[in-house]
Amino acid sequence: MVEQQLSERHPLGADVHRADCTMAQRGTRPITAEGARQALVKDPQSFRPCEFCRPDRGLGIDVA
């Protein structure tokens, strides 16, 4: 799932979480595994993996 960005001008991007992550605090929307993989790899300035659930590792990538 993707947690919305703090604000449009906030320097940190939207957080990508595993579906079972309990750390999401703001509005979320579902995302496919392939969509999450592409977002994290192709647009790391707009999307970042949750530091707690680390969806990047589960997707076979390590962006940190």
Side-chain angles (χ1 to χ4, degrees):
M1 67 181 146
V2 176
E3 180 179 11
Q4 66 189 38
Q5 191 172 356
L6 286 172
S7 73
E8 194 172 304
R9 294 178 185 226
H10 196 276
L12 299 176
D15 291 326
V16 178
H17 297 271
R18 293 172 55 113
D20 61 349
C21 184
T22 59
M23 297 304 287
Q25 297 175 356
R26 298 177 301 281
T28 62
R29 63 181 169 83
I31 189 170
T32 65
E34 184 57 31
R37 188 177 290 111
Q38 288 182 11
L40 291 169
V41 172
K42 293 183 178 181
D43 196 0
Q45 312 233 278
S46 298
F47 297 93
R48 64 188 183 143
C50 169
E51 294 178 6
F52 178 73
C53 69
R54 296 306 305 259
D56 52 328
R57 291 181 183 159
L59 294 167
I61 54 177
D62 191 359
V63 296

